[in-house]
Amino acid sequence: RFRPLMRALTLLGLGTLFLTTSCKDSHIDNLEERSRLSDEVSLWPLPQQFQTSPVAFKLSASRFKIVHAPGSTAGPSCSLLQNAFRRYFKYIFGYVNEQGQPRSRVFDSELRELQVLITSTDPECDAYPSLKTDESCKFAVVFLTAFVVVFVVLGLETFSQLVYEDDYGVNNINKTSILDYPRFSHRGILLDTSRHYLPLKVILANLEVMAMNKFNVFHWHIVDDSSFPFLSRTFPNLSQQGAYHPYTHVYTPVDVKSVIEFARMRGIRVIAEFDTPGHTQSWGKGQTDLLTPCYSGSSPSGTFGPVNPILNSTYDFMTSFFKEISSVFADAYIHLGGDEVDFSCWKSNPDIQKFMEQQGFGQDYSKLESYYIQRLLDIVSSTKKGYMVWQEVFDNEVKLKGDTVVEVWKMNMVEEELQNVTGAGFTTILSAPWYLDYISYGQDWKNYYKVEPLSFNGTPEQKKLVIGGEACLWGEYVDATNLTPRLWPRASAVAERLWSDENVKDIGSAYSRLEKHRCHMVRRGIPAEPLFVGHCGHEYSGL
Ligand SMILES: *[C@@H]1O[C@H](CO)[C@@H](O)[C@H](O)[C@H]1NC(C)=O
Ligand SMILES: *[C@@H]1O[C@H](CO)[C@@H](O)[C@H](O)[C@H]1NC(C)=O
Ligand SMILES: *[C@@H]1O[C@H](CO)[C@@H](O)[C@H](O)[C@H]1NC(C)=O
Ligand SMILES: *[C@@H]1O[C@H](CO)[C@@H](O)[C@H](O)[C@H]1NC(C)=O
């Protein structure tokens, strides 16, 4: 599929480049795999196959265009593409223009056009990205061909990373062939908007950086014990009472919509997490009788525990609530949490004790937890959504639908857990080694980078069930002031682990490319923190 296009490039000589993506069976002929890891290459994450050359072209802001190739199945009416063209044009030339580069100078060898060719009969311009989109699709730069439009966004990022400034401040790009596709199809970032409220601007800015790193899932841990910033139309009291502030510290339906659309434009899925039955203190403020009253001796202590699993009203509430959630969030999956349930309050409550007896649960409170989760899963299944859960739900032997995604987060016995989850036939994602809220002196990105998600004992079928992972930035010590520099470029290490080939693991090469990638981000105005001693050509200049 790519060979004719390669020839076309040679025939056209200077002037035109194609960006093209395709699903299945594509390869570029004569491409040495992961050719020469020269220090000059600044691609991050590293593509699956690429070849650079010393043939350089100039790019001029006044003449260079990103256009739809003849025969492309998507055109100017695809706003996702138009939006991406504009964004990447700005990334490539924005800063140069600011410095007043002479616009009219004509170069001998100049790249005038990047042609974007979409090949699918259904380019999916208006679709939401899904797990399926990402599987087995590839894109090639130099001819940027894409099967569906989402992959063009990835290709444009790669293209923009190839552009470098020469000694005269002029933009250059070398003749390069790239064929690329991800190793894992779920590459997520978890942000926590409950411990601290994150302004919309901060969320959008990080979606932008996620796209620069080819992350494709925003796991939005939107509510938790500390606050309930999600404004529910069905239960407005939840945020009215449960947010830090009912007007300034909430996500309105319009806010949520704009996050989802901004993400969609960048090929990013938004998976919201509404964690129950634990981590729900803030829910109790705006919804009476939802949480379990804790007892001190024979009388209520005035404090509350996890969601009350023995009341019918609890399940009526969850039915209405998740009906709304399933229509607000477009993704096929909802994350239902299910982690760290503290049993002490349940144990103290005489009504719960009675219920345990009636059900024959004995003193095994994980059975009660399973009873609740089971009923919740049935409710959510009836909304036609799939669900993701934290590993405890699997560990407690709750009956799960076949398409459940189990998120492994506990650091101890990670490999055995992966072995068990996949052994039981469940799809899984790994986040245990990537809790980026833990910080330390030095270069901890190397630890994230060295992780091999498939290093557990298991059959090839089991390994296939590991569809990716997530870097998690929990919010206890993070708000808008420090989120971006704490997350980037540390999460970039996870990005390459989840995107690039498993043999891409040389720390020295990674260091030199990541240093450049970090400077790319800084140049685009992202306050990504330094790896170590050094400098960027264009330093961060503040707000
Ligand atoms: C790009 O081309 C220049 C000029 O020929 C050359 O010096 C440089 O090594 C090339 N870079 C790469 C990554 O091939
Ligand atoms: C919301 O909370 C207010 C004040 O606590 C209460 O009067 C009202 O009945 C609640 N509304 C709903 C729908 O529960
Ligand atoms: C809860 O619902 C079940 C089944 O619908 C019913 O049998 C039971 O009586 C209800 N309990 C209460 C306290 O209403
Ligand atoms: C994995 O499964 C085995 C057999 O059921 C069990 O003994 C072990 O505790 C499980 N490991 C983990 C980490 O849950």
Side-chain angles (χ1 to χ4, degrees):
R1 186 180 304 232
F2 285 98
R3 199 181 341 201
L5 286 170
M6 288 288 273
R7 282 212 198 96
L9 180 77
T10 319
L11 287 175
L12 285 165
L14 316 176
T16 307
L17 213 67
F18 291 100
L19 175 81
T20 162
T21 77
S22 158
C23 282
K24 296 184 204 68
D25 307 330
S26 41
H27 66 281
I28 298 179
D29 290 329
N30 306 323
L31 198 63
E32 290 167 46
E33 267 188 52
R34 286 173 299 285
S35 359
R36 291 189 304 119
L37 263 188
S38 117
D39 279 354
E40 289 165 65
V41 173
S42 60
L43 295 168
W44 192 280
L46 197 70
Q48 303 290 344
Q49 295 178 39
F50 70 96
Q51 193 154 42
T52 59
S53 85
V55 179
F57 301 96
K58 309 270 188 236
L59 299 174
S60 152
S62 55
R63 286 179 299 272
F64 178 74
K65 289 194 185 71
I66 305 174
V67 299
H68 300 278
S72 180
T73 53
S77 66
C78 179
S79 62
L80 189 149
L81 281 185
Q82 294 302 116
N83 194 300
F85 290 3
R86 187 172 49 206
R87 210 160 60 239
Y88 279 99
F89 187 87
K90 243 173 115 178
Y91 279 147
I92 293 166
F93 296 107
Y95 11 81
V96 176
N97 284 344
E98 276 161 31
Q99 290 164 12
Q101 189 200 16
R103 282 165 156 269
S104 54
R105 198 173 140 201
V106 177
F107 302 106
D108 297 340
S109 56
E110 186 179 315
L111 181 71
R112 296 269 176 101
E113 240 177 35
L114 173 64
Q115 294 200 359
V116 172
L117 179 65
I118 308 289
T119 56
S120 168
T121 48
D122 177 13
E124 298 181 11
C125 248
D126 301 313
Y128 290 96
S130 71
L131 192 57
K132 228 178 62 221
T133 316
D134 217 44
E135 282 168 354
S136 80
C137 290
K138 308 178 176 193
F139 67 84
V141 174
V142 168
F143 308 116
L144 186 43
T145 300
F147 189 63
V148 290
V149 297
V150 161
F151 265 57
V152 167
V153 179
L154 298 172
L156 284 172
E157 174 59 38
T158 303
F159 177 84
S160 73
Q161 290 184 12
L162 290 170
V163 176
Y164 62 95
E165 233 175 63
D166 65 18
D167 294 342
Y168 306 99
V170 174
N171 273 342
N172 279 252
I173 188 166
N174 285 24
K175 190 175 169 197
T176 309
S177 304
I178 291 177
L179 180 64
D180 213 357
Y181 49 89
R183 180 179 176 208
F184 293 105
S185 50
H186 184 119
R187 302 177 304 280
I189 294 280
L190 177 150
L191 296 183
D192 168 3
T193 55
S194 173
R195 269 89 181 192
H196 286 95
Y197 177 78
L198 299 174
L200 200 60
K201 250 171 67 177
V202 175
I203 296 177
L204 301 186
N206 277 279
L207 287 166
E208 185 77 50
V209 192
M210 281 173 66
M212 294 176 195
N213 288 272
K214 296 190 169 64
F215 277 104
N216 67 347
V217 178
F218 170 35
H219 176 163
W220 193 352
H221 189 86
I222 189 167
V223 300
D224 203 297
D225 285 328
S226 323
S227 75
F228 197 105
F230 174 75
L231 200 163
S232 159
R233 285 186 200 269
T234 322
F235 301 102
N237 272 3
L238 288 171
S239 61
Q240 184 72 29
Q241 317 286 342
Y244 285 126
H245 187 282
Y247 311 125
T248 59
H249 287 55
V250 293
Y251 302 106
T252 66
V254 172
D255 292 340
V256 170
K257 246 195 175 130
S258 69
V259 167
I260 294 172
E261 182 61 9
F262 193 90
R264 188 184 79 82
M265 288 286 181
R266 287 153 184 81
I268 298 170
R269 303 164 58 197
V270 178
I271 299 181
E273 176 180 355
F274 288 89
D275 191 358
T276 67
H279 290 278
T280 47
Q281 289 296 303
S282 69
W283 302 51
K285 295 185 179 156
Q287 185 65 22
T288 45
D289 296 334
L290 180 64
L291 303 186
T292 309
C294 312
Y295 276 67
S296 154
S298 58
S299 48
S301 67
T303 62
F304 294 88
V307 166
N308 193 334
I310 68 171
L311 300 180
N312 285 352
S313 57
T314 292
Y315 301 100
D316 297 340
F317 166 81
M318 292 298 170
T319 303
S320 309
F321 183 73
F322 279 103
K323 193 169 163 226
E324 176 183 354
I325 297 309
S326 67
S327 73
V328 168
F329 291 91
D331 199 79
Y333 281 80
I334 300 176
H335 202 304
L336 297 176
D339 60 322
E340 297 183 314
V341 184
D342 177 5
F343 296 145
S344 55
C345 180
W346 280 350
K347 283 180 184 164
S348 76
N349 182 307
D351 296 327
I352 302 254
Q353 289 163 12
K354 210 163 87 201
F355 184 83
M356 292 282 289
E357 220 166 86
Q358 284 167 2
Q359 297 286 328
F361 291 164
Q363 287 302 303
D364 187 352
Y365 283 83
S366 71
K367 290 211 169 104
L368 181 60
E369 181 188 351
S370 299
Y371 169 87
Y372 165 79
I373 298 264
Q374 197 69 67
R375 290 191 66 174
L376 178 68
L377 296 187
D378 291 344
I379 287 167
V380 174
S381 296
S382 71
T383 69
K384 305 273 185 281
K385 293 279 185 184
Y387 40 75
M388 300 181 57
V389 291
W390 295 106
Q391 72 179 70
E392 285 97 320
V393 177
F394 168 81
D395 295 343
N396 292 339
E397 297 177 1
V398 175
K399 206 169 111 252
L400 297 167
K401 276 198 305 178
D403 62 351
T404 304
V405 178
V406 177
E407 181 157 14
V408 172
W409 70 277
K410 291 190 178 178
M411 259 319 253
N412 56 330
M413 306 209 283
V414 178
E415 298 192 351
E416 196 179 299
E417 182 75 12
L418 287 172
Q419 203 180 323
N420 285 3
V421 171
T422 57
F426 291 107
T427 304
T428 186
I429 58 171
L430 180 65
S431 56
W434 294 317
Y435 268 38
L436 271 53
D437 48 312
Y438 287 92
I439 51 172
S440 58
Y441 183 80
Q443 302 192 37
D444 56 2
W445 70 269
K446 291 180 180 172
N447 302 331
Y448 309 138
Y449 192 75
K450 284 176 191 158
V451 171
E452 171 43 57
L454 302 187
S455 64
F456 64 96
N457 280 331
T459 62
E461 287 70 36
Q462 276 175 277
K463 307 259 163 130
K464 270 193 210 127
L465 291 170
V466 181
I467 56 167
E470 291 185 343
C472 302
L473 192 65
W474 296 98
E476 284 85 351
Y477 301 97
V478 175
D479 71 3
T481 62
N482 60 353
L483 185 143
T484 304
R486 189 160 291 191
L487 188 55
W488 310 104
R490 293 162 76 229
S492 303
V494 182
E496 179 153 299
R497 181 53 53 239
L498 294 173
W499 179 279
S500 305
D501 189 85
E502 62 174 308
N503 296 316
V504 177
K505 54 187 175 192
D506 184 275
I507 287 280
S509 148
Y511 182 90
S512 93
R513 284 182 299 107
L514 187 53
E515 201 181 24
K516 292 193 182 74
H517 180 55
R518 184 240 156 194
C519 287
H520 265 134
M521 293 192 276
V522 165
R523 197 177 177 187
R524 292 175 183 185
I526 315 296
E529 68 178 19
L531 296 181
F532 189 51
V533 178
H535 83 289
C536 292
H538 300 260
E539 296 289 359
Y540 182 67
S541 57
L543 305 168

